[in-house]
Amino acid sequence: MAKIENVGVVGCGLMGHGIVQVAAEAGYQVVVREVDEATLGKGIAKIEKQLARAVEKGKATQEDADAVRARIQGTTDYDALADRDLVIEAITEDLALKLEMWGKVDKIAKPDALFATNTSSLPVIAQAASTSRPGRFLGLHFFNPAQVMKLLEVIRCVTSTEETMSAGLEFGQRLGKLTVATKDKAGFIVNRLLVPYLLDGMRAYEEGVGSISEIDAAMKAGAGHPMGPLTLSDFVGLDTLGSICDVLFDEFRERRFAQPPLLRKMLAAGWYGRKSGMGFYDYSGDQ
Ligand code: CAA
């Protein structure tokens, strides 16, 4: 398999922009594709803000930050992904949209390009099998914020070859991530364990065990977590979390993965957490 020299990322949202940044920081030339200029501009602006912050804090020189930025090219055109060695999908957690996207990318990508999905829960094989290269397809699951979180789950689906897995693990290591290889089983390792915990945090609140801030404060101080479960749910995005639990519930049919009624109501209200300005907390005053 050809060595990964450059990377394409589809989606420059919450996860995509972080993946683009870490890949560019690791020295890869990155092309990132978004649906329109406005969405692309928002994602790139987030990266520029993080780079400026790193310079302010003395963690990077202006020259380094400029070099990282120069390695990132934004586009709204799929054709710009034609020469990529690795294409990572980081679009909405919706299988139909992902399949439509791969249909386009598969037609223009190099025959030996490697494809990866950043899905949090959907079966990797469903995407792999839709392309002409199921052997060169794997899951690369990053955690939010991708710039900070150490872990990369590297997911082998039934069709992924040894070479594909080795290339994925090597790529993650070059990004400075701790790579953990895992099976294509809904939720992989982290979400299988994390999601029921977050949902239990919501149920505890529904049952009146504590207030939102009490539940969060208790888990931070009592279990050493950096964020309480309700803050973390807002941070992940309640819509994303809702989609993940639906996939997990569908797969395992266990109550622990079912959306609590409160989550359903919040989603119906359009409260998606931090990104929408409202979730368990009010972020409307945030920059
Ligand atoms: N990009 C780049 N750097 C960032 C960042 C971002 N988006 N957010 C925070 N940072 C950096 C800060 O610049 C800061 O760096 P320095 O220490 O060098 O100054 C450092 O991270 C700590 O940030 P803060 O001081 O602002 O705040 P904090 O100490 O509260 O840390 C946090 C923020 C890293 C997000 C921490 O609260 C945390 O680890 N929270 C838990 C996050 C988590 O569990 N993520 C996984 C979610 S599950 C998932 O993603 C999988 C899925 O499929 C749903």
Side-chain angles (χ1 to χ4, degrees):
M1 180 169 303
K3 210 171 150 40
I4 298 170
E5 308 278 4
N6 62 46
V7 178
V9 178
V10 187
C12 198
L14 192 63
M15 294 310 298
H17 89 275
I19 298 170
V20 169
Q21 187 177 334
V22 288
E25 284 173 348
Y28 291 103
Q29 298 286 340
V30 187
V31 169
V32 55
R33 191 266 172 193
E34 252 302 350
V35 284
D36 56 46
E37 290 294 343
T39 317
L40 179 63
K42 267 193 202 159
I44 300 267
K46 279 192 211 152
I47 297 171
E48 287 172 345
K49 197 168 154 193
Q50 295 298 338
L51 293 175
R53 246 188 224 159
V55 174
E56 266 167 38
K57 286 184 190 166
K59 287 167 89 186
T61 63
Q62 188 61 53
E63 204 180 15
D64 287 342
D66 291 344
V68 171
R69 178 63 189 87
R71 284 195 282 274
I72 301 170
Q73 184 204 328
T75 182
T76 55
D77 188 0
Y78 278 115
D79 288 344
L81 300 169
D83 67 344
R84 301 290 98 183
D85 298 325
L86 167 66
V87 179
I88 305 172
E89 164 289 303
I91 65 168
T92 309
E93 192 68 347
D94 178 316
L95 186 59
L97 291 179
K98 289 183 196 288
L99 295 184
E100 188 190 331
M101 183 280 296
W102 284 124
K104 290 180 182 143
V105 175
D106 196 28
K107 278 199 196 89
I108 52 106
K110 295 191 295 189
D112 64 346
L114 200 71
F115 285 175
T117 171
N118 179 54
T119 182
S120 327
S121 55
L122 294 166
V124 175
I125 185 60
Q127 295 180 60
S130 77
T131 70
S132 62
R133 60 195 88 206
R136 285 191 300 281
F137 202 110
L138 81 169
L140 290 176
H141 185 213
F142 290 81
F143 293 82
N144 180 25
Q147 299 93 331
V148 180
M149 302 308 283
K150 269 284 180 215
L151 180 66
L152 179 68
E153 287 181 320
V154 180
I155 300 127
R156 179 199 295 267
C157 68
V158 281
T159 52
S160 316
T161 65
E162 270 313 316
E163 265 191 313
T164 297
M165 280 302 281
S166 303
L169 290 163
E170 200 184 309
F171 172 71
Q173 282 147 17
R174 185 163 158 199
L175 300 189
K177 299 296 182 197
L178 171 79
T179 51
V180 173
T182 177
K183 269 192 180 171
D184 186 19
K185 186 101 180 160
F188 317 123
I189 296 174
V190 173
N191 281 337
R192 182 188 180 124
L193 301 178
L194 180 65
V195 169
Y197 156 71
L198 297 180
L199 301 182
D200 253 346
M202 295 177 201
R203 289 188 194 106
Y205 172 62
E206 279 181 318
E207 289 165 21
V209 174
S211 68
I212 293 172
S213 56
E214 284 166 343
I215 290 170
D216 276 348
M219 287 311 292
K220 278 175 74 178
H225 292 190
M227 287 174 166
L230 304 172
T231 304
L232 184 54
S233 298
D234 277 354
F235 185 71
V236 166
L238 300 181
D239 54 337
T240 303
L241 196 53
S243 310
I244 298 173
C245 23
D246 287 349
V247 171
L248 292 172
F249 185 75
D250 237 31
E251 180 80 10
F252 300 112
R253 300 280 160 186
E254 290 174 22
R255 180 186 182 263
R256 64 193 172 118
F257 297 116
Q259 283 194 30
L262 176 62
L263 178 59
R264 286 189 193 286
K265 286 181 194 149
M266 292 173 80
L267 293 177
W271 295 4
Y272 298 158
R274 193 184 274 212
K275 63 177 148 188
S276 73
M278 183 59 103
F280 287 97
Y281 297 88
D282 183 352
Y283 305 90
S284 53
D286 288 10
Q287 286 296 310

